């Protein structure tokens, strides 16, 4: 019995020991689990935080991207708007340029193109249309020679000026180098058949014209007014209503003359389809001829060029298709010749332009007026009234 008791006790003891051992293990495990759970909770918290942060960030980026997308579309809209405006400005510039362009001869064609662009119905006849299209090339045209000369008449004093209004075909005669009277004839034929100025309409101007540098265009007379001790003025005179419609001062020293061989010419006006031009010398010290483009309606100066054509030995000048042709001679009059040209479009270089000789004549030109309608020159030569026909060719573009 005793050994059994001992076994029992020892077993119980062992059992109790095992029990203790397991309890300790359980406690240990429990603590570990708790610690792990704690840590997991911490991780969970942290991951939740990370997740929220992540979500926030995502929301933010998507908002930002959305915003950017909107901004971008706004920006592209702005850009498109800006491009449209640039386009329009460009077109406006082109329009303004064709309106004021000294690139003269293209004007008419541009106007036709404009009309088409604006869908205007009032287009000219087919004939005119073709003619206008042909005129595109006018601006690259140059005078290649003086084809012929026709002496129409001998009237008035040795110096003077005559011209024909390209619009009305009426002829205007300016006898001498200054005065307040001009003579109007209905046509060149009327003038050539007339007996002196008697059969003309006499127009008395409100002030004197100075020098043979006037121009007549579209029913208006443009003349230089220069009274003693006053500035030089350009006067626009309505020949129909006989009233001055506009005057403008000009930056010209009153004692300066334009052409050294014709000192009476203070300044020289030239009017044609392209508008109104003024050849002048800003001061007596200036060796070269200056050119101004004027608005024929308001007499505003639009642009000024230095032609680089000397005044010395110059006799007269005229404007053809945006190009100034200066005619030179010698003091002892010999053959007049165009020895300097100036193209406002820089398409014709003076050195490359053909040397134009006028036929041998009596004296020297007091004036030369180009008529764009007939492409001929009205000249006053020692009291003779002469018409020069011109040969015109296309400039070979290099
Ligand atoms: C032309 O003017 C001159 C003076 O410059 C004058 O002697 C002559 O009579 C005038 N001729 C005519 C036809 O008016
Ligand atoms: C005048 O024109 C000539 C060319 O004919 C040029 O050499 C000269 O520099 C010009 N003078 C002035 C003051 O512009």
């Amino acid at each position: 019995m005793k050994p059994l008791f001992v076994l029992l006790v020892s077993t119980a003891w062992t059992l109790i020991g095992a029990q203790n051992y397991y309890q300790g293990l359980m406690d240990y495990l429990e603590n570990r689990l708790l610690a792990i759970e704690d840590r997991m909770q911490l991780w969970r918290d942290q991951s939740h935080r990370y997740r929220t942060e992540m979500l926030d960030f995502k929301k933010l980026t998507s908002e930002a991207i959305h915003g950017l997308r909107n901004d971008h579309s706004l920006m592209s809209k702005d850009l498109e708007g800006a491009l449209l405006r640039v386009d329009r400005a460009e077109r406006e510039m082109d329009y303004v340029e064709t309106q004021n362009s000294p690139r003269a001869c293209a004007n008419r064609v541009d106007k036709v193109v404009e009309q088409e662009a604006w869908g205007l119905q009032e287009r000219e006849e087919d004939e005119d249309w073709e003619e206008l299209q042909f005129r595109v090339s006018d601006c690259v045209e140059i005078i290649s020679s003086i084809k012929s000369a026709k002496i129409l008449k001998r009237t008035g004093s040795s110096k003077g000026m005559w011209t024909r209004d390209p619009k009305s075909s009426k002829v205007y005669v300016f006898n001498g180098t200054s005065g307040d009277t001009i003579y109007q004839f209905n046509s060149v034929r009327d003038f050539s058949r007339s007996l002196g100025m008697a059969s003309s309409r006499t127009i008395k101007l409100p002030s004197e014209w100075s020098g043979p540098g006037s121009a007549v265009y579209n029913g208006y007379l443009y003349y230089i007014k220069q009274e003693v001790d006053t500035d030089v003025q350009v006067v626009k005179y309505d020949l129909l209503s006989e009233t001055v419609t506009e005057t403008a001062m000009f930056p010209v020293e009153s004692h300066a003359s334009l052409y050294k061989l014709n000192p009476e010419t203070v300044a020289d006006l030239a009017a044609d389809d392209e508008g109104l031009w003024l050849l002048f010398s800003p001061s007596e010290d200036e060796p070269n001829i200056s050119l101004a483009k004027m608005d024929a309606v308001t007499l505003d100066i639009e642009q000024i060029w230095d032609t680089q054509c000397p005044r010395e030995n110059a006799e007269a000048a005229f404007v053809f298709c945006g190009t100034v042709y200066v005619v030179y001679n010698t003091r002892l009059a010999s053959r007049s010749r165009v020895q300097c040209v100036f193209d406002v479009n820089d398409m014709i270089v003076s050195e490359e332009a053909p040397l134009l000789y006028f036929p041998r004549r009596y004296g020297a030109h007091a004036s030369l007026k180009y008529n764009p309608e007939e492409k001929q020159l009205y000249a006053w030569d020692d009291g003779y009234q002469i018409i020069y026909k011109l040969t015109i060719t296309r400039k070979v573009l290099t």
Side-chain angles (χ1 to χ4, degrees), residues 155-159 173-178 183 195-198 380:
T155 189
S157 60
S158 68
K159 286 194 177 187
V173 178
F174 299 69
N175 179 36
T177 54
S178 67
Y183 307 95
L195 299 164
M197 312 294 180
W380 191 290

Side-chain angles (χ1 to χ4, degrees), residues 36-51:
I36 286 168
E37 269 175 1
D38 273 349
R39 200 160 304 163
M40 272 175 77
Q41 184 59 43
L42 197 78
W43 286 345
R44 219 176 281 137
D45 285 346
Q46 271 184 356
S47 101
H48 181 72
R49 218 172 68 227
Y50 286 150
R51 212 180 129 68

